[in-house]
Amino acid sequence: GTFIVDMGQNFAGWIALRVQGDAGTAVHLRYGELLHPDGTLNGLTSVAGQIKQPGMGGPGAPPTAWQADTYILKGDGVETYRPRFTFHGFRYVEIAGYPGTPTLDAIEGYLLNSDIADAGAFACSNELFNRIQEIVRWTQRSNMFSVQSDCPHRERFSYGGDIIASGEMAMLNFDMAAFYVKTLQDHMDEIRPNGGPTETSPFVGIADHGFGEGSGPIGWSTMVPWLQWKLYTYYGDKQILAEHYDATKRWVRLLETSAVDSIIGHGISDHESLVPKPEALTGTGFYYHNVCLLARIAEVLGRADDVERYTALAGTIRDAFNAKFLQADSGRYGTGTQASQAFALFFDLVPAEKRDAALDVLVRDIVDQHDGHLTTGIFGTKYMLLTLTDLGRADVAYTIANQKTFPGWGHMLEGGATTLWEHWEYSDNVYSHNHPMFGSVSEWFFKALAGIRPDPAAIGFDRILIQPQIVGDLTWARGHYDSIRGRITSEWKLDGNTLTLDVTIPPNTTAKVHVPTNDPSSVQESGKPAKNADGVRQVRTTETESVFAITSGHYRFTTRIRR
């Protein structure tokens, strides 16, 4: 009398149940992401609030807060039940009390999320990456219900840290302009009396490693200036910088008064890291990042005095960071974990003369100590992939993303995942199986493999970088992003020793195109030497690339790559 329905996909939404029976018959539905080995429903990873024993949930709470519905038949022919006042996150549905045996057409799933349009797409010759891209998008869609949640069943809160980790992934895949303005306002509404943002919105009292009065940890609260800056970079929203400027200054002031000798010694740090977390290093790195963001916002708003003040403060923090954490003889920061090195390099805290050494420590840890695997958590994963790419080691980032063994995205897929897990390791009783924070890999797909990213000086994506990485065993990659100014496309194909790169740049924008080549004299655009082509200006040439400035239009670059 108990049936299990496999929807084939973990997602968030509703089911519609069609049933016919006597009045008063009660049909019970329970939802979960997994099955037990004996085939029965395992709903433990999606139990609301982790309430799994009597007394945990307070007065009126059930002993275990399953995701569940009960429908009582009215006995009037074929009836269709669909929830109205809730939604669920699930792959499997347990049906008990159904009159007779349900057929496959007795139940239908409805994917739900806030009405947000697609903005980008990515594909390449590596089928594993295409599968990862697909589960990232399913995960993000499952977690957009008015807020960007960390999971659609157990916690439904907007966590600031998760948005820092996955926010640009979301912007490159979906039109997040209005949604993220609303998200930012939600978090600004929760700022505590001392000026500290909260860990979640809505605020429910969660304040791990914060700064008192209910304020959240530094990595999560950094979302306040970070999201403002990304809304400006991607969508040109200058007004939002002005609206929240005073509140952002109060937050940075709280950090100033909380720092000891310019060091912030606490925080959640690199959540879900597989090695010990460097709390003081990441805390101070985020302190520096907040101050730098505020200085950049002040510059946009013409606050010259604040630009000078916060630029100087950033320099003081940078000096303190290196004095405390850098082993000058080796380039190692703190204990030299992947997260430690990635934080220092990504936030540009490393002195120029130590950058190669710091990068070498990172690469050796990945390649020699962990056989090409990551050890990073929520932030370190994003920062490491992008840092490796920016510093010329996209090949190592590719190796990390291409793993099918633990830990990594391929390991999730090998374990049957159809959405991203909260933890690198499979969990059958605690961690969510529909969690966006490790979706930052999709951001890397767009920025590194398709090569589409905003220039650091972009306002509403008006300045574009096209910088694809020809790495691993890839033979082609393509991506597009529908910016507020129009569609940007980058598509490349490697045929023997010939690389073809097709680029489209929308009106009223400019771009710099980095054509990968070790034979600069062979670079052509539409059949002409690129440096002489219409709308193309050669900027520089190195041993690995030729860089061209272009205006709006479609361009086809070709070059030979000597092997």
Side-chain angles (χ1 to χ4, degrees):
T2 299
F3 302 90
I4 298 290
V5 178
D6 179 3
M7 305 304 294
Q9 170 68 49
N10 200 348
F11 69 104
W14 292 330
I15 60 92
L17 178 71
R18 284 177 282 277
V19 59
Q20 183 173 5
D22 296 335
T25 300
V27 180
H28 303 282
L29 306 171
R30 283 200 309 147
Y31 303 83
E33 300 178 299
L34 306 171
L35 297 178
H36 290 297
D38 65 359
T40 58
L41 182 75
N42 179 357
L44 291 174
T45 62
S46 57
V47 168
Q50 297 277 24
I51 299 171
K52 298 175 182 177
Q53 59 187 24
M56 284 187 64
T64 302
W66 305 110
Q67 291 186 88
D69 297 319
T70 297
Y71 179 64
I72 300 174
L73 276 64
K74 58 185 176 182
D76 185 15
V78 177
E79 305 172 40
T80 300
Y81 166 71
R82 189 168 68 186
R84 294 185 180 184
F85 303 112
T86 191
F87 60 91
H88 300 290
F90 63 101
R91 172 174 174 171
Y92 300 98
V93 187
E94 176 193 86
I95 305 175
Y98 190 94
T101 300
T103 56
L104 283 177
D105 62 358
I107 188 167
E108 185 173 10
Y110 288 79
L111 171 68
L112 298 181
N113 53 260
S114 293
D115 187 11
I116 294 171
D118 284 348
F122 169 82
C124 69
S125 59
N126 185 325
E127 189 54 35
L128 173 63
F129 288 1
N130 295 334
R131 292 175 64 202
I132 294 170
Q133 170 71 2
E134 181 180 11
I135 69 170
V136 169
R137 287 175 56 86
W138 271 99
T139 307
Q140 182 65 23
R141 279 197 300 261
S142 297
N143 283 279
M144 292 190 292
F145 284 78
S146 180
V147 302
Q148 178 178 314
S149 56
D150 63 329
C151 52
H153 34 60
R154 196 184 70 211
E155 292 178 84
R156 301 179 179 178
F157 305 136
S158 175
Y159 279 87
D162 297 64
I163 292 171
I164 291 176
S166 62
E168 279 192 88
M169 169 276 287
M171 291 183 226
L172 289 165
N173 280 283
F174 304 100
D175 178 3
M176 302 296 290
F179 189 95
Y180 273 162
V181 168
K182 188 263 185 191
T183 296
L184 180 62
Q185 188 61 57
D186 286 344
H187 283 263
M188 301 306 288
D189 288 344
E190 301 287 9
I191 286 181
R192 313 314 294 159
N194 66 3
T198 54
E199 186 171 341
T200 72
S201 175
F203 177 57
V204 292
I206 298 174
D208 298 325
H209 299 275
F211 296 89
E213 299 184 11
S215 60
I218 188 168
W220 275 245
S221 299
T222 299
M223 189 275 286
V224 165
W226 182 88
L227 189 53
Q228 292 176 57
W229 189 254
K230 294 306 174 185
L231 288 167
Y232 180 68
T233 300
Y234 278 74
Y235 308 117
D237 194 338
K238 182 178 177 180
Q239 178 180 338
I240 206 162
L241 305 181
E243 286 179 357
H244 299 305
Y245 187 72
D246 290 342
T248 306
K249 282 183 67 174
R250 286 187 65 215
W251 159 234
V252 170
R253 177 60 182 161
L254 176 62
L255 294 178
E256 283 188 82
T257 58
S258 301
V260 178
D261 297 328
S262 299
I263 300 294
I264 297 288
H266 64 283
I268 294 178
S269 190
D270 197 26
H271 179 55
E272 301 303 350
S273 167
L274 297 172
V275 295
K277 297 182 292 184
E279 289 188 19
L281 186 150
T282 56
T284 307
F286 274 126
Y287 178 27
Y288 175 79
H289 189 44
N290 276 272
V291 173
C292 289
L293 286 169
L294 182 54
R296 296 172 79 178
I297 292 170
E299 186 173 14
V300 171
L301 298 178
R303 308 288 184 95
D305 290 346
D306 282 350
V307 173
E308 182 178 358
R309 165 168 158 63
Y310 293 114
T311 301
L313 177 58
T316 299
I317 299 167
R318 194 172 192 262
D319 290 343
F321 181 90
N322 283 296
K324 184 171 181 64
F325 301 112
L326 172 61
Q327 298 176 19
D329 60 336
S330 66
R332 181 182 301 273
Y333 278 84
T335 57
T337 64
Q338 294 172 18
S340 298
Q341 301 302 117
F343 263 78
L345 288 163
F346 184 81
F347 287 150
D348 197 23
L349 283 156
V350 182
E353 68 276 11
K354 301 295 181 184
R355 196 169 293 137
D356 288 346
L359 175 63
D360 185 59
V361 172
L362 173 59
V363 170
R364 283 189 285 110
D365 185 272
I366 297 165
V367 175
D368 298 338
Q369 301 300 315
H370 294 95
D371 193 26
H373 291 77
L374 55 77
T375 63
T376 47
I378 182 172
F379 305 117
T381 300
K382 169 187 167 86
Y383 298 159
M384 180 169 63
L385 293 177
L386 296 176
T387 292
L388 287 167
T389 302
D390 291 344
L391 297 181
R393 296 309 307 266
D395 59 318
V396 179
Y398 184 93
T399 297
I400 292 170
N402 200 37
Q403 298 288 354
K404 292 185 179 179
T405 52
F406 175 82
W409 299 272
H411 174 68
M412 295 184 192
L413 285 166
E414 293 292 306
T418 61
T419 44
L420 297 170
W421 300 347
E422 179 182 5
H423 190 65
W424 294 117
E425 190 171 6
Y426 181 87
S427 171
D428 65 359
N429 62 3
V430 176
Y431 294 104
S432 163
H433 285 244
N434 196 343
H435 219 85
M437 69 185 186
F438 289 134
S440 54
V441 68
S442 174
E443 177 187 348
W444 181 77
F445 291 159
F446 277 90
K447 289 184 175 181
L449 302 186
I452 300 172
R453 63 170 71 190
D455 186 279
I459 304 170
F461 236 108
D462 62 341
R463 301 183 190 183
I464 302 157
L465 294 180
I466 303 294
Q467 195 171 3
Q469 305 295 315
I470 316 302
V471 289
D473 56 358
L474 285 183
T475 57
W476 62 268
R478 64 173 178 261
H480 74 255
Y481 171 64
D482 292 329
S483 75
I484 62 169
R485 302 174 190 275
R487 175 163 290 191
I488 303 162
T489 65
S490 173
E491 181 174 354
W492 63 264
K493 181 179 181 180
L494 193 60
D495 185 3
N497 291 332
T498 300
L499 174 69
T500 302
L501 172 62
D502 286 292
V503 176
T504 303
I505 303 300
N508 301 312
T509 66
T510 59
K512 286 183 180 177
V513 180
H514 296 245
V515 180
T517 184
N518 50 19
D519 187 3
S521 64
S522 71
V523 182
Q524 296 189 333
E525 194 286 307
S526 298
K528 300 177 182 179
K531 61 183 179 181
N532 300 327
D534 294 338
V536 178
R537 177 175 59 85
Q538 188 165 21
V539 176
R540 67 179 181 275
T541 296
T542 71
E543 295 179 354
T544 58
E545 65 179 12
S546 290
V547 183
F548 301 92
I550 62 174
T551 55
S552 60
H554 177 75
Y555 301 82
R556 169 166 286 185
F557 293 92
T558 58
T559 186
R560 289 192 304 271
I561 296 179
R562 295 193 301 266
R563 295 185 175 182

